[in-house]
Amino acid sequence: MATAKAQPLPPPPVANKVKHEMEMFGDVRIDNYYWLRDDSRSDPQVLSYLRDENAYTDLLMSGTKHLENQIYAEIRGRIKEDDISVPLRKGPYYYYQRTLEGKEYVQYCRRLVPNVEVPPSVYETMPTGPSAPPEHVILDENIKAQEHAYYSIGAFKISPNSKLVAYAEDTKGDEIYTVYVIDAETRAPVGKPIVGVTPYLEWVGDEALLYITMDETLRPDKVWLHKLETDQSSDSCLYHEKDNMFSVDLEASESKKFVFVGSESKTTRFIFNLDVSKPEGGLMVLTPRLDGIDTSASHRGNHFFIKRRSDEFFNSEVLACPLNNISETTVLLPHRESVKIQDIQLFSGHLVVYERENGLPKVTFYRLPAVGEPLGSLQGGRTVDFLDPIYSVDPSESQFSSSILRFSYSSLRTPDSVYDYDMNTGVSVLKKIQTVLGNFDASKYITERKWANAQDGTQIPISIVYRKDLVKLDGSDPLLLYGYGSYEICVEAHFQESRLSLLDRGFIFAIAHIRGGGEMGRQWYENGKLLKKKNTFTDFIVCAEYLIEIKYCSKEKLCIEGRSAGGLLIGAVLNMRPDLFRAAIAGVPFVDVLTTMLDPTIPLTTSEWEEWGDPRKEEFYFYMKSYSPVDNIKAQNYPNILVTAGLNDPRVLYSEPAKLVAKLRDTKTDDNILLFKCEMAAGHSSKSGRFEKLQEYAFTYTFIIKSLDMAPPLGSGQN
């Protein structure tokens, strides 16, 4: 429904122009908005400009506030606010998270297992009620968050003896964490906090922790061993990664006998192992540092299991080696050109392999010989069957000693569903499906996969969902096309209850699985990075054109969205084909590519050279300049645009989206809406509360609907 006659828009904020000249390879770039970067986030002039932009955004969206409130109420009304996650049995307890009605954050809870000697079963349920063991709340985020505008727990780890908990909290959104250890029963603090760390955290026995700190560019570079009740200053550094292309991480094996420390760049990863029973022995090399070889590890019995990728075996293979002779490797699963091994999960009697084939995830499991028997090539794997034509599957924590695999399944129309699958019997039990209130009926929605033809003949998959009783497929339907296409990340076709507010208004939602992501295997990623990065953008444009061609939408009804590196995608395609879209959302967008990649003091820059290229080399400099969104804004008409940022974001500095908006305002030749919304107390993932995040969805959807002139007038009674 068309809105009433538009009133003239108030003038937007105008950022001061301060000429900043940058020269390289004889090429001079002028950045009039370089001054907007303030690493201290305290410059009054910068903060004033950001607040002016926020006020302008509020003013322009005030006329549709009723719609935004209605959409927020819809989204929140679908959520069962008082709920618990599927309990996980670990040792003598069931562990789970509880959400409470009206509360933004979760509680971490546990209950005793009444008959701990009875082996786990897919049919097992946690007893509740008056006769059941009582619930114990270990940690309540709602209480912790009261003093903070932002609150996020990045790690929550139970000690092996179940008596202590170590957790990492971030109270600004800058992803710099503080670790606290508490008594699980009394919640009393144990020792002093460990400050200035990453969320990588693992127990080493019951009396020590392994954690990671960062250098001044926030690159995780040092691994530390901390003994409980001692001062952080006395912790021992087990490893220091000095190469600024590499970052360290750590993960406990499923057996809990080892902690693996990885050091990785975008192309190479090598591993150390720490024997939890002998931490004084320090880190031992498990896989060597070899350029282009990427490894990850696990453990069972007297073998390490290793997933290894190389240029030759680009979709990975799985190997095993004895603990006492790591150079003696056996290939368990060979490399296959059409199947990418994404992840492995070990059990005492099984190996589970998460794979991708033809763009879809697969879960295949193999029975392993008894510990002590020789390991050879694995045969007779069984694959779990899934129903929807497009879907997502995610590993969940399972019990190493059992035969029960837990995973989470969803599709664009199927809410998150947790299954326990007995690998011995093949019996699968649905433990919980996400409750969606408000008469949700999955059968009303159609999910499908289409394929667009790229310029070089490559077929690009598109995942699609819509409500079959509302969509006409005659070119008149509004459509939101989402894309990412970087870091080998797969954008999965998963369920999102907030999205129903668009689908139930007749929108089609589509995901373009473009190159640079990992959906179609390692080569898919390789063909969308470095000097092939533009494939990511042209693939997205081709998907948009294809959806118009098959009458799923028209240019006048096509909206696009991407976040972070997906925001780079949005910025690039807006410069390339602004005529193709009616509205665009660029969330925390990485848009000042060249300037950022030339500055090694900015977090993430050095490690990203293997993703985007090193612009200190002439070929990469000019290639990156040719697509960097801020560098390619020109005097042309652009569609309606919403740009978001987080002031404390360490991944994409708030100044990048701020510059994009300032330059667009100064350069573009249209009168379409351009809004900038900067969260002043948040980071890369926006606000931290679960209802606060819903407000962001409601705002974004309202912007889309407003941009399409679909917003009902106030008091019309229509939605």
Side-chain angles (χ1 to χ4, degrees):
M1 181 173 178
T3 54
K5 187 175 180 184
Q7 298 296 312
L9 298 177
V14 176
N16 291 335
K17 284 184 172 182
V18 180
K19 186 175 179 181
H20 179 82
E21 204 169 277
M22 296 171 284
E23 182 176 354
M24 201 160 189
F25 304 117
D27 177 61
V28 177
R29 291 183 303 135
I30 307 294
D31 183 350
N32 291 319
Y33 306 106
Y34 192 86
W35 65 271
L36 281 168
R37 177 183 165 189
D38 168 35
D39 290 357
S40 73
R41 276 97 168 159
S42 61
D43 184 315
Q45 189 180 6
V46 171
L47 295 176
S48 174
Y49 171 70
L50 296 177
R51 292 191 183 104
D52 287 348
E53 285 285 2
N54 283 343
Y56 177 73
T57 294
D58 290 343
L59 180 63
L60 254 67
M61 294 296 288
S62 60
T64 47
K65 192 67 181 175
H66 63 291
L67 176 62
E68 185 183 333
N69 291 340
Q70 181 185 340
I71 293 174
Y72 173 76
E74 287 171 14
I75 298 173
R76 185 161 176 172
R78 295 188 194 104
I79 294 172
K80 186 176 185 296
E81 295 190 14
D82 186 354
D83 204 0
I84 73 165
S85 63
V86 182
L88 177 68
R89 181 170 154 180
K90 289 163 74 170
Y93 293 95
Y94 295 108
Y95 291 89
Y96 53 97
Q97 293 182 13
R98 179 180 289 285
T99 52
L100 303 174
E101 188 170 345
K103 298 290 189 181
E104 291 278 4
Y105 297 95
V106 303
Q107 295 178 326
Y108 294 82
C109 307
R110 74 180 183 186
R111 285 178 196 259
L112 278 166
V113 178
N115 302 307
V116 74
E117 65 282 351
V118 176
S121 156
V122 290
Y123 301 110
E124 181 177 352
T125 56
M126 179 179 73
T128 56
S131 60
E135 174 176 282
H136 174 66
V137 179
I138 305 170
L139 183 74
D140 189 338
E141 284 188 3
N142 297 291
I143 294 171
K144 295 286 181 184
Q146 284 174 356
E147 299 167 23
H148 307 286
Y150 180 96
Y151 190 83
S152 176
I153 286 185
F156 185 87
K157 303 283 183 175
I158 309 288
S159 64
N161 64 8
S162 310
K163 292 182 178 178
L164 303 175
V165 170
Y167 66 94
E169 72 171 27
D170 170 11
T171 58
K172 290 174 67 178
D174 59 5
E175 299 178 39
I176 300 172
Y177 290 80
T178 300
V179 169
Y180 298 89
V181 179
I182 59 171
D183 183 293
E185 281 299 313
T186 66
R187 307 184 194 95
V190 176
K192 294 178 182 174
I194 309 170
V195 300
V197 303
T198 74
Y200 290 112
L201 182 68
E202 296 292 350
W203 283 96
V204 179
D206 295 310
E207 296 174 357
L209 290 164
L210 220 55
Y211 67 90
I212 289 174
T213 56
M214 299 167 279
D215 67 9
E216 61 278 359
T217 69
L218 303 186
R219 176 181 66 92
D221 70 329
K222 287 179 181 170
V223 181
W224 300 84
L225 182 66
H226 171 77
K227 292 182 179 169
L228 297 190
E229 311 266 15
T230 65
D231 199 82
Q232 185 176 355
S233 61
S234 62
D235 292 349
S236 52
C237 182
L238 301 189
Y239 181 67
H240 180 197
E241 179 54 78
K242 296 176 181 174
D243 188 333
N244 64 10
M245 300 282 279
F246 284 74
S247 298
V248 291
D249 58 62
L250 54 87
E251 182 179 23
S253 65
E254 292 94 340
S255 67
K256 306 302 181 190
K257 299 287 178 63
F258 289 89
V259 176
F260 298 109
V261 171
S263 181
E264 68 176 341
S265 71
K266 291 290 183 286
T267 61
T268 302
R269 188 169 191 272
F270 57 99
I271 303 166
F272 304 92
N273 68 80
L274 180 75
D275 185 334
V276 169
S277 68
K278 295 181 286 196
E280 65 281 356
L283 298 182
M284 307 293 289
V285 173
L286 178 53
T287 57
R289 183 178 193 139
L290 296 170
D291 190 42
I293 307 291
D294 181 319
T295 54
S296 57
S298 196
H299 161 261
R300 183 199 77 138
N302 49 6
H303 284 89
F304 291 121
F305 286 63
I306 296 166
K307 180 173 79 77
R308 182 171 70 182
R309 182 197 56 73
S310 65
D311 290 345
E312 182 183 3
F313 301 133
F314 51 83
N315 275 336
S316 299
E317 57 184 347
V318 178
L319 318 168
C321 63
L323 302 187
N324 58 6
N325 187 2
I326 58 175
S327 60
E328 183 191 312
T329 58
T330 301
V331 177
L332 302 181
L333 291 174
H335 171 259
R336 291 156 291 170
E337 291 207 0
S338 61
V339 180
K340 174 188 172 186
I341 298 173
Q342 195 141 320
D343 207 355
I344 62 172
Q345 188 175 1
L346 263 178
F347 292 76
S348 55
H350 296 86
L351 170 67
V352 180
V353 187
Y354 291 85
E355 302 169 317
R356 296 193 79 85
E357 185 171 23
N358 204 28
L360 291 174
K362 290 171 61 178
V363 181
T364 306
F365 60 91
Y366 300 84
R367 192 180 296 275
L368 295 173
V371 170
E373 292 183 16
L375 282 170
S377 180
L378 296 176
Q379 307 293 330
R382 292 180 59 184
T383 300
V384 182
D385 294 324
F386 300 112
L387 297 175
D388 293 287
I390 46 174
Y391 56 86
S392 74
V393 183
D394 293 304
S396 286
E397 188 176 352
S398 304
Q399 293 182 77
F400 174 74
S401 59
S402 79
S403 63
I404 299 169
L405 167 68
R406 176 168 289 180
F407 59 83
S408 181
Y409 170 87
S410 84
S411 78
L412 292 173
R413 67 173 184 182
T414 308
D416 285 342
S417 311
V418 177
Y419 287 88
D420 277 356
Y421 185 100
D422 192 322
M423 293 180 283
N424 286 335
T425 64
V427 172
S428 176
V429 174
L430 175 63
K431 305 302 286 187
K432 179 182 174 68
I433 185 165
Q434 174 190 348
T435 302
V436 182
L437 303 175
N439 302 317
F440 169 72
D441 179 358
S443 68
K444 289 181 181 177
Y445 303 87
I446 287 179
T447 61
E448 54 188 21
R449 172 152 284 184
K450 298 286 188 184
W451 299 82
N453 242 333
Q455 295 171 342
D456 60 4
T458 302
Q459 294 273 296
I460 314 298
I462 309 172
S463 297
I464 299 171
V465 62
Y466 55 86
R467 223 177 99 165
K468 59 187 177 186
D469 59 328
L470 296 180
V471 164
K472 299 177 282 297
L473 302 182
D474 62 358
S476 67
D477 301 303
L479 187 147
L480 175 60
L481 179 63
Y482 187 89
Y484 188 78
S486 291
Y487 301 115
E488 205 178 356
I489 287 172
C490 305
V491 179
E492 303 289 11
H494 68 84
F495 185 80
Q496 191 176 305
E497 72 275 339
S498 60
R499 196 183 290 137
L500 297 173
S501 285
L502 289 182
L503 300 180
D504 291 350
R505 285 174 169 80
F507 274 77
I508 298 170
F509 176 76
I511 303 167
H513 300 285
I514 49 188
R515 282 175 285 186
E519 288 91 337
M520 299 286 285
R522 178 73 182 189
Q523 294 300 104
W524 199 251
Y525 165 58
E526 298 282 359
N527 288 328
K529 64 183 284 202
L530 298 173
L531 297 172
K532 296 179 180 177
K533 187 62 208 168
K534 287 184 188 176
N535 283 339
T536 302
F537 316 135
T538 55
D539 283 358
F540 189 82
I541 289 168
V542 159
C543 289
E545 290 174 329
Y546 172 73
L547 291 167
I548 292 168
E549 179 191 328
I550 62 172
K551 295 202 171 345
Y552 274 53
C553 64
S554 63
K555 289 182 182 180
E556 293 72 35
K557 293 290 185 74
L558 178 55
C559 307
I560 57 174
E561 182 179 11
R563 283 182 57 86
S564 195
L568 160 63
L569 164 73
I570 300 303
V573 301
L574 283 176
N575 286 328
M576 294 164 75
R577 286 297 307 278
D579 61 300
L580 196 54
F581 317 107
R582 180 67 179 273
I585 296 98
V588 291
F590 171 45
V591 283
D592 196 12
V593 180
L594 198 50
T595 302
T596 292
M597 286 294 107
L598 281 167
D599 187 348
T601 68
I602 293 178
L604 301 180
T605 291
T606 54
S607 61
E608 303 275 294
W609 285 332
E610 289 179 340
E611 176 79 21
W612 313 104
D614 183 350
R616 298 173 305 175
K617 299 171 183 171
E618 187 169 358
E619 183 181 24
F620 285 109
Y621 175 91
F622 285 105
Y623 186 79
M624 293 162 79
K625 185 188 177 190
S626 72
Y627 69 74
S628 174
V630 164
D631 290 291
N632 286 279
I633 293 168
K634 41 188 178 281
Q636 59 183 355
N637 286 354
Y638 285 85
N640 299 298
I641 301 171
L642 168 64
V643 180
T644 68
L647 183 63
N648 297 324
D649 190 342
R651 295 172 180 265
V652 177
L653 297 183
Y654 74 89
S655 52
E656 294 200 33
K659 283 188 198 181
L660 180 80
V661 170
K663 191 171 179 182
L664 273 170
R665 288 209 194 287
D666 186 54
T667 311
K668 72 190 187 87
T669 54
D670 60 84
D671 293 323
N672 289 324
I673 304 169
L674 171 59
L675 299 181
F676 182 41
K677 187 176 176 69
C678 182
E679 296 294 350
M680 305 300 279
H684 196 61
S685 301
S686 190
K687 293 180 177 178
S688 54
R690 59 176 177 150
F691 303 132
E692 291 176 323
K693 287 185 186 296
L694 304 185
Q695 289 171 331
E696 185 176 337
Y697 289 125
F699 180 84
T700 302
Y701 294 165
T702 302
F703 171 81
I704 291 170
I705 292 166
K706 177 185 174 77
S707 297
L708 295 177
D709 291 331
M710 290 173 61
L714 185 60
S716 70
Q718 299 182 31
N719 56 20

